[in-house]
Amino acid sequence: MKKTGKRLLLALAVLCTVPALAQDQKIESLARGGKVRVGGFGAPAIKFTTFDDKMGVLLGGYAGVMLNSKLMLGAGAYALVNNIEAPRTHASDPTLYWNMWYTGFVPEYTIKGNKLIHIAAGALIGGGGVMKSERYKEWDDHESLDYSSFFVGEPHINLELNITSYLRLGIGGSYRFVKGSNTAGITDEKLSGPSAHFTIKAGRF
């Protein structure tokens, strides 16, 4: 009985010392000491991508709230801006061009953003649409044909340079995964593809 009592006391002493030891080790968390530094930025961008096996140019960008100079939570949107001719069903059909847009939620994580050159990685998750239309018409005369919507996921990575404390320039790449479109003359595979992009970030990091 005495041996059993001593063992219980020893075990109790060990259990009591574990929390004391744990207190010496700081727990890393998003909130530093209960305070979260809140910033934010906007990031207009231009993307050069493949679209229907041709060169496409996308304009857009993303913006959001930045927490502790690391995690950004926001939204983004992009649209195809150059003329890419859609295939004709009949030779007598008018010339139509592809239009595509997409938008979605954008999380992004910046690694060592206080360094002159650093990396940021994130993704856009959302949806968009593809259609055919004539170019150079008044807005009221604009008509879209064969419209269909799709799901899009686009992970990206940037190499960024701090110009000032509130301005960053970035170059990077992404890959656009498209699923669910059913517009005649194009497939999900031709809507998907890699992109190279140039970004300007302005805000409180």
Side-chain angles (χ1 to χ4, degrees):
M1 290 294 292
K2 291 183 179 181
K3 290 183 179 180
T4 302
K6 288 181 180 179
R7 289 173 181 173
L8 288 173
L9 289 174
L10 180 61
L12 184 59
V14 171
L15 289 173
C16 290
T17 55
V18 169
L21 292 173
Q23 287 176 0
D24 293 335
Q25 299 177 357
K26 294 182 179 180
I27 299 176
E28 294 183 358
S29 65
L30 184 63
R32 299 172 182 173
K35 296 181 180 180
V36 178
R37 183 178 186 274
V38 179
F41 64 82
I46 181 170
K47 294 188 176 188
F48 301 94
T49 185
T50 59
F51 183 95
D52 195 19
D53 299 326
K54 301 177 180 66
M55 172 63 73
V57 179
L58 299 170
L59 286 182
Y62 59 100
V65 176
M66 196 171 196
L67 307 177
N68 285 343
S69 301
K70 292 182 179 181
L71 178 63
M72 191 282 296
L73 301 174
Y78 298 91
L80 183 70
V81 295
N82 65 315
N83 290 341
I84 299 178
E85 189 172 333
R88 301 185 186 189
T89 305
H90 305 287
S92 59
D93 289 344
T95 302
L96 297 176
Y97 299 90
W98 288 117
N99 280 339
M100 181 187 72
W101 65 271
Y102 59 95
T103 185
F105 170 64
V106 179
E108 184 181 74
Y109 191 82
T110 301
I111 302 171
K112 295 184 178 179
N114 60 320
K115 300 296 184 181
L116 178 64
I117 298 175
H118 55 270
I119 292 174
L124 183 149
I125 304 168
V130 60
M131 76 268 338
K132 304 169 187 174
S133 67
E134 295 183 59
R135 298 285 187 175
Y136 309 119
K137 279 197 169 185
E138 296 295 331
W139 179 258
D140 292 339
D141 296 329
H142 183 78
E143 182 180 3
S144 296
L145 305 173
D146 294 337
Y147 175 85
S148 68
S149 57
F150 55 74
F151 166 82
V152 61
E154 187 174 29
H156 69 260
I157 187 166
N158 296 337
L159 182 65
E160 298 181 347
L161 173 68
N162 289 336
I163 302 300
T164 68
S165 60
Y166 56 85
L167 185 66
R168 295 175 177 177
L169 300 182
I171 58 172
S174 63
Y175 194 92
R176 186 178 60 258
F177 296 93
V178 171
K179 190 70 175 177
S181 68
N182 59 11
T183 296
I186 201 163
T187 63
D188 288 347
E189 288 73 21
K190 290 186 176 182
L191 290 172
S192 304
S195 295
H197 59 256
F198 174 76
T199 304
I200 300 174
K201 288 183 177 181
R204 182 173 183 265
F205 301 106

